[in-house]
Amino acid sequence: MEAEIINFLFNGTVNGAIFSLIALGYSLVYGVGHIMNLAHGAFFMLTGYMLLWFPSFLPEIPWLIATIVVIFVTIIGGLAYIILIKPLQDTSVGVVLITFGLAFFIQEYVFVLSGTTPYSVKEFKIIDGVTKIPSFSFINQFIFLIFASLIIVSVFALFISKSKLGKSIRAVSQDREAASLMGINTNRVLLYTLMISAFLASIAAVLYLPAAALNGPSMGWGYLTNSFAVVILGGMGSLVGSVVGAYIVGYVTSFTSIFIPNGPSWAHLVPIIIIVIMLLIRPQGIFGKKELR
Amino acid sequence: MGIILEVKNLTKKFGGLTAVNDFSFEIQRGEYVGLIGPNGAGKTTVFNLISGFEKPSSGKIRFDGIDITGLKPYKIVNLGIARTFQLVRSFKFLSLLDNIVIPCLSKRGKKVSKKVGAEAYASSILASVGLVDRARIPPVILPHGDLRKLQIGKALGTNPQFLLLDEPFSGLSHEEQEVLTELINKLHDDGVTIFITGHVLRELMTLVPRVIAMHQGKFIADGPPQEVANNKIVLEAYLGRGEGFA
Amino acid sequence: MESLTKRILAIVLIAVIGVGIGVGAWIFLAAPEAAIKYPGAPSGFDKDNTIVIGCAGDTGEIQGDANYEGAYFACKHINEAGGVVINAITYYFGVTKEDTDESNPNLVPSRGVDAARRLIYDKEVDFAVGGFRSEALLAYIEEFMDAEMIFIGTGAATDIFCEKVNETYADYKWFFRFMPINSTALGGQILYTLADFILNINADYPNHDVKEIGILAEDLTWVTSLVGAIKDVLPLLTGGWATMLPEILYDISLSATDMNSHLADLQADGADIVIPVISAQGGILMMQQYALNEYDYLIFGIDVQSQLDTYWDDTGGDCVYETMMQTLYRCNKTSKSVAFWDAFIAQFGHEPLYIACGAYDAVSAIRDAVEDAQSLDPDLIIPVMESWDRSNPHLGVAGNAAWWPNTHDLVAGYPFGYTLWAQWQPGGTKAVVPALIYPDVGAYGNITTGDYVVAPWVHTEWS
Amino acid sequence: MVKEKMKEKINNFPGYLKSWGTTFIGGLTILCLIILTVIPFLSNDLKYVYVFLPQFTLAMIFAIFAASWDLLTGISGQISFGHAIFFGVAGYICAYFIDYQGFPTWVAIVLGSLGAVFFGLLIGIPCLRLKGPYLALGTLAFSLILLKLFLQGSLAHIFFGSEGISGLPSLSDDPIIEYFIIFIFTIISFIVIIQISKSKLGTIFKSIRDDETGADASGINTTKYKVIAFMISAFFAGLAGTFYALYNTAVNPTGNFGTLNSFFAILMASLGGLTTITGAALGAFFFIFLEYILIEIGVIEIGNLIIDVSLWKFAIFALILIIVVRFAERGILRPILEHLKDLWDVLMGR
């Protein structure tokens, strides 16, 4: 029982750490631009596959490749905004459709290049090995992930509240028109927001996937659904909510998987059920403003 | 004649803000009443509460003897209250005719439109608001004045006995205002009770025989325009905001 | 005047468009006729003298390619040996394939139906082999049955096809399964092997009781009956020694933390042996986390991906000490096995997947059946194939194929259809283990090629 | 009164048809119908009958499906990303009644479609509170829940598991008869959907799409009509779903509930141009035949480079969706049709 509780807490925390990184960017983009970016999970997945592809033509220095990949995905996020999202950002349907198309395209592109076979990218692990206590062993990379996630989230919070760009991001998220009247280039702010969001998803992948595996091109959707659950739970656009929501979803998933009979096969339904319940009961989320109509 | 609308102790709170505070008034059948107050006084909220688009925090609204507090908008419309919006709304991809066919298809609208058919009835309304020659075009290309007329046409489609007009004159040129005034007067002559808002007093003064004034969500005065205009509190309310009568 | 020129112009334009569509359609419909080729068939032979084998599989994915490779290789061997003579006419074998796209996680069943129709009506094949994903095959199998064409399954393990043959023989008699043995039989194989294995390994470790058995399986239909069988029967077979832990059925869209928590869960429950039942993506993650944490149990079960020779690299060597079912490896499973294995690697540069072995055996069997029946008529061939029962098996590279006449399912169990157990050993080599389970196989000699190695961390723990 | 009107309509019908036939849209429709009627008889070639012709059948099934999506999203403004729910549920219900209860195929088709209507009600009511992208998300979540429930092996005794239900009878063993059955149903479905969109009901749907508050203020019970829109759309999606199940003679979770099906509906309807209904048919034919062409082309060899075009199919579809949504809001096919119409007008000397 003791081991099960430690197992639940550890894996719940890892889940929370990874979900918070992915959902934070997702929530930011929605909060600032009301852009529901369905390609967010695809950025995560693409990072993983780039880690797989790039060593074949780059010098095999893991940190260098990882850095290049993250930069690459960040740029792709920016390009996606400039080329695809920006012209359509006033129609919510258009954005949803085009980001859906983008996500699907990335998925199929990866499918053509790498098929559905799973791969390992464990050479990108930052810390190898495990830390053992009598009843449980902790994977070091996951421990690192938890701390890295906390640090990144804090730095991000500082960045949003203190930096100039952060302040204009907040201004735009509160009132886009007023912000543009105050001389803020809202489109540029949105561009940076999308790049930050892609960057966070990409960092999440770089930290997490080496200790996991590339589970095929469609794995991005699962993380996207989880981000939805997190963001809907915490409130669209609420950054505190996203982090709290991420850990709630993480622990609930882990709890279901370990303590509920037949739990493992239900665990992946939990986030979707959270989405539906939250949408029906309190669409603005726990921390969200009631701006939803 | 008798009372048609009775509002008692109406209160609406948005979070910490009280938009309408213990507001009460009565309107007789066939009256022509203005609701005045500076910007942000809570006029639109009162309209939203009467027409059901918002639910009051407390208080009662009775229409024609029926308690309509908290009813859904379409049910209130089907009792005979129609409204227009301050910001022009229209079904932008439908033709003007179809824009008016929609209210004619409501439960109350159907009662009168059934005999001649919804489309014929709608085009008669289009004629009465003076847009019949544009029946087939969509509203997106209409000038602002015509959109205001369309709004009233849409309200008329539901065969109302009580009409809520929210700032019908805002953004109109002088000529357009006159045409619209004429239209509203004609409706009043046909027996429709009219309740109208405006934040510029002068416009309403010439139009209505009775005004109700509100400020910061509270009732401050009720009476003929001249009397209300000279009311000290009303003057303060307007002057305090530096708007005046101009 | 002007309107007349416009009109003429319009007519010309429409005519051009019309002619364009017409020509396009003509090229489209008429052209493929000439393009059909049957790889494997010797050149200079026309369609009439070629027995065409159609491969239904997912081209571009390992399973579909393996199916094609196996069939192609068989055709090549048959043709090199002079083809087959029917009524004094020599026939050669050709092979063609259609993409059913069934490995795609976004399965489109109509695609498989379309591929089957192309094989039957466009490529005009005489026999078909293939199938991998049960739900896709369930849709397109009907096409072959409607066309009364013999179809040999080489990849799907579910019992359901053979149940159909049994229930409505008249509708499904054209279906035979060559690979793998059905999932119930797989369960049986695991049971007998594991029961022996548990009892034997206990003898090696006097200080530790190896008896807690966990199951880690993907939550899919084909797993259900298998898991149920293991749970019920394994304790009985070990004389009540083995006890079963609650099984873990995971959602196939798993993430790393889930797999880690399942493995930790099994560790916490005190598992000694864990039986994975995995056909999809889970295996690589399982082995990675297992090797990293060095959990105190052995992995011994089904992990389809680990049959691939690329698995060692895919897991970065983490699959070491995993023991799993393997249809064929380089050993004397039958007298043909080693020769086939070496020739296949020489031809294609990689090891044959179980589907390739199945397809090879299937095509070879078709050749023998055609020769026996002296006809290409399914009605005459089916009785020949049904006559290959336990008393008269058909010798293949992957086993002695014998069918149950009423279900057309492979007879499972030594010496007919059975699977080997192979372990990944340090250095990236695979060995067929353990010697205890496979005694000398008569004329073929010993089929085990290595000794079972207990993972060192488990060895330390148990000693 | 009503009877007289009907009589009048019937008496005027031939004349109406004649005048409709001379309009551009009418003429084109009649031309298409004639082509579709003669196409099955153009060749006796086995490949033509068994491979080429069924592509039309498939395209028509997806045309109904895409049109039903267009009715809900294009006409009524309720964005659905989970249309596969209705498609899959109807297929499963149909398959269940045929395979487990031994019902005749036609009864099962009706039951399947009605089951989809029931699900339209079931999904429609809770989703009423949601708008825009939230509705998209909600419907997507519902479809994912259904997909996962049906996929679970441990629930296989309730939901038939990952292998679904198989061995269904096809509509007919003869592809030509199958073709004509679907053809007739497609025509009926399109007439009904187009008539609905042109009727007063359709006008109300459009008013809800354009301005829901305004519709409310006009005395329209928007809640009721939104649910009706969900139900009508679900019926036709369900009809397509049952035909798809019978076309494949099997149902399974990924194939029938997969998000890909919702994607297809969106793709086809957007390509043809939203709100046009007929555009959905054009989109469906375009995509089915694009796939057919890609498969026919197969593997291209350019020097050492070997490209299997058919693998790129979905990537190409996604790219087309991106381009259409980004650059051609009105769809690709409608502008083409408009150019053709100009040509026609010139030809008719107008």
Side-chain angles (χ1 to χ4, degrees):
Chain A
M1 197 62 207
E2 184 202 56
E4 280 180 354
I5 291 171
I6 299 176
N7 189 2
F8 152 64
L9 288 175
F10 181 63
N11 286 316
T13 315
V14 176
N15 279 339
I18 183 81
F19 293 165
S20 64
L21 280 182
I22 301 175
L24 204 57
Y26 184 75
S27 178
L28 181 77
V29 169
Y30 186 83
V32 175
H34 281 246
I35 293 168
M36 202 174 255
N37 179 13
L38 296 187
H40 197 64
F43 291 154
F44 178 84
M45 180 270 293
L46 186 63
T47 309
Y49 275 90
M50 281 183 169
L51 290 181
L52 182 72
W53 299 332
F54 280 24
S56 64
F57 53 84
L58 284 176
E60 289 206 33
I61 310 165
W63 65 264
L64 182 71
I65 294 176
T67 316
I68 293 174
V69 166
V70 170
I71 293 171
F72 229 85
V73 173
T74 311
I75 293 172
I76 290 176
L79 287 179
Y81 175 74
I82 296 172
I83 299 172
L84 302 178
I85 301 173
K86 191 166 132 190
L88 296 166
Q89 62 193 17
D90 297 326
T91 57
S92 56
V93 188
V95 171
V96 169
L97 282 178
I98 203 149
T99 52
F100 184 74
L102 178 64
F104 205 77
F105 178 74
I106 295 177
Q107 177 192 327
E108 288 303 318
Y109 183 74
V110 171
F111 170 73
V112 171
L113 290 191
S114 284
T116 53
T117 342
Y119 295 95
S120 158
V121 284
K122 69 172 186 173
E123 61 272 24
F124 289 95
K125 253 188 232 173
I126 293 163
I127 307 178
D128 206 0
V130 290
T131 307
K132 287 204 178 203
I133 60 166
S135 56
F136 193 76
S137 58
F138 301 94
I139 295 176
N140 287 340
Q141 175 81 12
F142 284 168
I143 299 176
F144 179 76
L145 168 70
I146 293 170
F147 287 108
S149 162
L150 289 176
I151 291 167
I152 293 170
V153 168
S154 322
V155 169
F156 181 73
L158 266 178
F159 166 78
I160 288 288
S161 61
K162 293 281 187 286
S163 76
K164 199 171 162 233
L165 178 60
K167 280 178 184 159
S168 34
I169 287 177
R170 273 191 306 164
V172 176
S173 79
Q174 274 156 17
D175 190 337
R176 196 147 132 207
E177 265 176 48
S180 70
L181 287 177
M182 279 157 58
I184 296 174
N185 184 342
T186 53
N187 282 342
R188 184 168 296 164
V189 169
L190 272 171
L191 168 66
Y192 291 143
T193 316
L194 225 102
M195 287 172 76
I196 292 170
S197 137
F199 172 78
L200 286 173
S202 183
I203 282 282
V206 165
L207 290 175
Y208 181 69
L209 288 176
L214 305 180
N215 266 332
S218 51
M219 73 174 176
W221 295 108
Y223 290 96
L224 182 73
T225 334
N226 286 341
S227 311
F228 274 144
V230 167
V231 169
I232 289 275
L233 197 64
M236 283 275 181
S238 157
L239 300 184
V240 183
S242 301
V243 177
V244 176
Y247 283 92
I248 294 177
V249 173
Y251 286 120
V252 171
T253 317
S254 181
F255 183 87
T256 320
S257 172
I258 292 169
F259 294 110
I260 307 271
N262 246 338
S265 49
W266 287 99
H268 286 265
L269 257 177
V270 167
I272 314 175
I273 293 172
I274 289 178
I275 295 176
V276 169
I277 292 175
M278 287 305 291
L279 279 177
L280 298 183
I281 294 174
R282 199 180 150 84
Q284 72 270 30
I286 298 172
F287 294 87
K289 302 162 275 183
K290 187 168 175 151
E291 43 88 36
L292 198 74
R293 278 185 48 89
Chain B
M1 295 298 272
I3 295 168
I4 188 162
L5 184 77
E6 184 186 2
V7 173
K8 253 193 186 155
N9 309 95
L10 197 63
T11 304
K12 174 70 190 177
K13 287 179 183 158
F14 293 110
L17 187 93
T18 308
V20 178
N21 192 354
D22 201 19
F23 202 67
S24 304
F25 64 90
E26 283 168 4
I27 291 175
Q28 305 285 325
R29 193 178 293 275
E31 257 193 305
Y32 193 172
V33 187
L35 178 64
I36 60 163
N39 268 337
K43 303 183 297 285
T44 300
T45 311
V46 170
F47 271 29
N48 282 346
L49 291 168
I50 295 173
S51 56
F53 283 91
E54 269 156 30
K55 288 191 170 50
S57 309
S58 66
K60 279 259 170 290
I61 306 167
R62 291 175 74 81
F63 177 75
D64 216 1
I66 304 164
D67 185 359
I68 60 164
T69 325
L71 281 188
K72 290 218 168 100
Y74 78 93
K75 285 196 172 156
I76 291 173
V77 171
N78 285 326
L79 287 169
I81 301 182
R83 71 168 292 180
T84 66
F85 293 88
Q86 185 174 357
L87 294 170
V88 182
R89 311 188 79 105
S90 62
F91 308 125
K92 50 181 180 267
F93 296 113
L94 295 183
S95 68
L96 289 197
L97 186 69
D98 280 346
N99 260 278
I100 299 187
V101 163
I102 294 293
C104 294
L105 293 174
S106 70
K107 217 167 155 192
R108 192 179 169 87
K110 247 190 226 163
K111 275 181 198 154
V112 282
S113 65
K114 203 164 55 183
K115 283 174 210 149
V116 285
E119 276 176 23
Y121 188 71
S123 69
S124 74
I125 290 174
L126 263 188
S128 71
V129 296
L131 291 171
V132 75
D133 50 332
R134 300 181 171 186
R136 292 289 161 200
I137 63 166
V140 271
I141 50 173
L142 279 191
H144 197 68
D146 285 353
L147 283 174
R148 291 274 176 209
K149 287 186 201 163
L150 177 67
Q151 287 245 305
I152 293 175
K154 272 161 69 181
L156 290 182
T158 65
N159 184 30
Q161 43 177 323
F162 191 94
L163 197 53
L164 297 162
L165 299 173
D166 196 357
E167 303 264 4
F169 301 114
S170 73
L172 293 192
S173 71
H174 195 66
E175 291 77 29
E176 285 171 331
Q177 279 188 23
E178 275 178 4
V179 176
L180 203 61
T181 309
E182 208 171 294
L183 180 62
I184 297 171
N185 283 339
K186 205 173 126 255
L187 287 175
H188 180 235
D189 294 343
D190 289 346
V192 181
T193 313
I194 288 172
F195 194 22
I196 185 169
T197 66
H199 65 275
V200 184
L201 260 181
R202 202 180 53 184
E203 286 167 3
L204 282 178
M205 287 308 177
T206 52
L207 211 61
V208 295
R210 174 189 165 197
V211 289
I212 297 168
M214 71 186 297
H215 180 48
Q216 292 179 345
K218 283 188 195 136
F219 174 89
I220 47 176
D222 184 355
Q226 283 314 314
E227 204 177 289
V228 172
N230 295 327
N231 186 310
K232 211 177 117 199
I233 315 173
V234 177
L235 279 173
E236 263 173 24
Y238 273 86
L239 290 173
R241 294 176 61 94
E243 286 190 19
F245 287 81
Chain C
M1 191 60 211
E2 199 186 279
S3 75
L4 189 70
T5 38
K6 265 189 178 174
R7 253 174 118 149
I8 292 168
L9 212 73
I11 291 169
V12 169
L13 249 167
I14 285 179
V16 167
I17 292 172
V19 169
I21 291 173
V23 169
W26 180 79
I27 288 173
F28 207 56
L29 291 172
E33 212 50 49
I36 297 173
K37 277 183 270 175
Y38 303 111
S43 56
F45 262 85
D46 59 358
K47 169 81 183 68
D48 294 340
N49 283 3
T50 308
I51 296 171
V52 183
I53 307 290
C55 292
D58 198 331
T59 315
E61 293 289 319
I62 46 167
Q63 297 90 353
D65 286 346
N67 186 41
Y68 179 73
E69 286 165 358
Y72 174 83
F73 203 43
C75 292
K76 190 167 168 249
H77 282 177
I78 294 167
N79 293 339
E80 280 167 7
V84 58
V85 180
I86 304 170
N87 296 331
I89 303 169
T90 307
Y91 285 81
Y92 288 92
F93 274 67
V95 61
T96 182
K97 61 182 168 182
E98 274 297 334
D99 188 3
T100 55
D101 205 20
E102 56 194 287
S103 308
N104 197 329
N106 300 306
L107 179 69
V108 180
S110 58
R111 181 71 194 276
V113 173
D114 182 50
R117 287 184 178 160
R118 281 166 190 274
L119 283 178
I120 302 167
Y121 302 107
D122 181 19
K123 306 267 177 92
E124 296 177 345
V125 301
D126 300 295
F127 300 92
V129 296
F132 166 67
R133 187 160 165 188
S134 307
E135 53 264 47
L137 181 56
L138 278 168
Y140 68 75
I141 187 92
E142 303 285 332
E143 295 300 325
F144 292 109
M145 298 300 112
D146 286 348
E148 309 195 344
M149 179 179 290
I150 291 179
F151 181 90
I152 299 186
T154 57
T158 181
D159 295 10
I160 192 164
F161 300 108
C162 298
E163 285 167 9
K164 286 187 172 188
V165 178
N166 196 18
E167 282 163 17
T168 41
Y169 181 82
D171 292 345
Y172 289 98
K173 65 178 173 183
W174 298 276
F175 177 81
F176 289 83
R177 194 222 303 279
F178 230 110
M179 186 65 65
I181 54 174
N182 70 39
S183 45
T184 313
L186 285 175
Q189 289 257 299
I190 295 179
L191 284 169
Y192 286 107
T193 312
L194 263 176
D196 277 358
F197 179 74
I198 291 167
L199 295 176
N200 282 309
I201 204 154
N202 265 294
D204 295 346
Y205 292 99
N207 299 329
H208 184 86
D209 289 344
V210 182
K211 62 175 189 177
E212 302 281 352
I213 313 296
I215 299 174
L216 182 62
E218 53 194 20
D219 194 2
L220 291 178
T221 310
W222 74 278
V223 168
T224 325
S225 57
L226 203 158
V227 168
I230 296 175
K231 270 175 72 183
D232 296 342
V233 184
L234 193 56
L236 299 177
L237 278 180
T238 54
W241 174 253
T243 47
M244 303 302 295
L245 299 170
E247 78 273 22
I248 293 179
L249 298 176
Y250 66 85
D251 184 294
I252 46 168
S253 57
L254 77 175
S255 52
T257 41
D258 301 334
M259 193 51 103
N260 186 44
S261 86
H262 301 331
L263 293 174
D265 223 13
L266 289 162
Q267 166 92 347
D269 286 347
D272 296 315
I273 293 175
V274 168
I275 308 173
V277 185
I278 298 171
S279 67
Q281 283 91 336
I284 197 166
L285 195 49
M286 174 184 73
M287 286 322 292
Q288 222 170 285
Q289 313 263 2
Y290 169 77
L292 187 60
N293 287 289
E294 304 193 336
Y295 288 117
D296 304 336
Y297 43 75
L298 305 175
I299 303 266
F300 203 111
I302 300 178
D303 177 3
V304 172
Q305 299 275 347
S306 80
Q307 298 190 21
L308 297 171
D309 45 5
T310 54
Y311 198 62
W312 182 268
D313 291 333
D314 287 348
T315 55
D318 282 345
C319 60
V320 64
Y321 306 119
E322 184 188 22
T323 312
M324 71 287 163
M325 280 190 154
Q326 171 114 7
T327 298
L328 187 62
Y329 198 67
R330 193 180 186 281
C331 70
N332 288 319
K333 195 178 180 188
T334 74
S335 55
K336 293 179 169 179
S337 299
V338 173
F340 165 75
W341 189 268
D342 293 342
F344 191 94
I345 292 178
Q347 170 87 27
F348 295 104
H350 59 84
E351 295 173 2
L353 192 66
Y354 72 102
I355 298 178
C357 306
Y360 184 88
D361 278 356
V363 175
S364 312
I366 288 171
R367 182 217 168 270
D368 293 351
V370 169
E371 191 172 39
D372 267 19
Q374 281 296 304
S375 164
L376 286 174
D377 182 358
D379 289 341
L380 299 173
I381 296 171
I382 289 171
V384 175
M385 295 182 84
E386 283 175 348
S387 75
W388 289 329
D389 58 9
R390 279 173 298 170
S391 58
N392 175 31
H394 179 264
L395 181 65
V397 296
N400 292 313
W403 281 296
W404 299 107
N406 50 339
T407 61
H408 290 182
D409 202 352
L410 211 56
V411 177
Y414 178 80
F416 302 108
Y418 67 103
T419 57
L420 305 170
W421 290 86
Q423 185 185 33
W424 281 106
Q425 297 191 332
T429 54
K430 220 187 247 181
V432 178
V433 294
L436 313 156
I437 299 160
Y438 302 115
D440 282 358
V441 189
Y444 312 135
N446 194 338
I447 59 169
T448 55
T449 61
D451 290 327
Y452 183 79
V453 183
V454 176
W457 58 88
V458 182
H459 181 79
T460 321
E461 182 72 23
W462 286 359
S463 296
Chain D
M1 178 82 182
V2 180
K3 249 187 189 170
E4 274 169 32
K5 259 190 181 169
M6 281 303 289
K7 242 184 200 167
E8 202 181 319
K9 262 193 180 168
I10 290 166
N11 284 336
N12 286 340
F13 189 69
Y16 169 73
L17 201 64
K18 207 173 159 193
S19 64
W20 180 68
T22 53
T23 64
F24 173 70
I25 293 292
L28 198 66
T29 314
I30 289 171
L31 184 70
C32 285
L33 290 181
I34 291 172
I35 292 175
L36 284 175
T37 316
V38 297
I39 258 181
F41 307 108
L42 288 184
S43 170
N44 278 330
D45 184 36
L46 282 178
K47 184 194 177 188
Y48 185 84
V49 175
Y50 282 94
V51 180
F52 187 66
L53 197 59
Q55 304 299 320
F56 282 88
T57 315
L58 203 58
M60 288 190 286
I61 292 172
F62 274 104
I64 301 179
F65 184 46
S68 79
W69 185 83
D70 201 12
L71 181 69
L72 186 62
T73 301
I75 304 282
S76 317
Q78 309 297 308
I79 312 168
S80 161
F81 263 55
H83 230 53
I85 300 170
F86 313 125
F87 194 70
V89 155
Y92 261 82
I93 292 176
C94 175
Y96 170 78
F97 278 109
I98 292 175
D99 213 47
Y100 286 76
Q101 305 292 341
F103 279 36
T105 309
W106 290 106
V107 179
I109 288 175
V110 173
L111 286 175
S113 312
L114 292 181
V117 173
F118 176 70
F119 264 78
L121 193 70
L122 217 64
I123 309 285
I125 289 176
C127 286
L128 282 177
R129 296 167 48 114
L130 308 173
K131 278 178 195 155
Y134 287 89
L135 182 65
L137 181 54
T139 46
L140 183 66
F142 269 116
S143 81
L144 285 177
I145 288 182
L146 278 174
L147 172 62
K148 295 215 167 193
L149 281 180
F150 275 80
L151 209 51
Q152 268 190 31
S154 42
L155 295 176
H157 53 289
I158 310 171
F159 296 122
F160 316 104
S162 54
E163 282 164 15
I165 306 171
S166 59
L168 308 173
S170 47
L171 280 169
S172 164
D173 284 340
D174 185 347
I176 296 179
I177 296 175
E178 190 180 27
Y179 172 92
F180 274 108
I181 293 173
I182 304 280
F183 183 44
I184 290 165
F185 271 90
T186 310
I187 293 174
I188 296 173
S189 302
F190 269 82
I191 290 176
V192 172
I193 294 177
I194 289 171
Q195 285 307 318
I196 286 174
S197 75
K198 281 183 180 166
S199 71
K200 305 234 159 64
L201 188 63
T203 317
I204 292 176
F205 287 163
K206 288 176 198 160
S207 77
I208 294 173
R209 172 196 67 194
D210 286 355
D211 178 7
E212 196 174 332
T213 312
D216 238 340
S218 301
I220 300 295
N221 185 351
T222 50
T223 313
K224 184 174 109 189
Y225 285 103
K226 280 199 278 184
V227 174
I228 291 177
F230 259 100
M231 286 164 68
I232 296 176
S233 171
F235 176 81
F236 288 105
L239 192 67
T242 57
F243 286 146
Y244 189 63
L246 295 169
Y247 177 88
N248 289 325
T249 67
V251 288
N252 61 64
T254 344
N256 293 60
F257 278 111
T259 319
L260 193 66
N261 288 324
S262 310
F263 172 69
F264 277 155
I266 296 167
L267 191 59
M268 289 163 179
S270 333
L271 186 85
L274 280 185
T275 78
T276 50
I277 305 292
T278 40
L282 295 171
F285 274 85
F286 181 85
F287 271 102
I288 296 291
F289 281 94
L290 181 63
E291 179 176 357
Y292 182 81
I293 291 168
L294 291 179
I295 293 172
E296 283 290 321
I297 294 172
V299 181
I300 301 178
E301 288 178 44
I302 311 166
N304 285 330
L305 201 65
I306 298 170
I307 304 170
D308 187 349
V309 180
S310 62
L311 275 184
W312 285 86
K313 157 186 78 170
F314 286 140
I316 292 171
F317 284 6
L319 207 61
I320 290 176
L321 178 71
I322 291 174
I323 292 168
V324 168
V325 175
R326 168 70 177 79
F327 297 105
E329 235 180 299
R330 305 171 59 213
I332 292 179
L333 297 163
R334 192 150 60 154
I336 292 177
L337 281 186
E338 274 164 16
H339 285 295
L340 269 179
K341 183 175 174 350
D342 292 344
L343 206 64
W344 174 263
D345 284 346
V346 171
L347 200 66
M348 300 299 281
R350 276 175 221 160

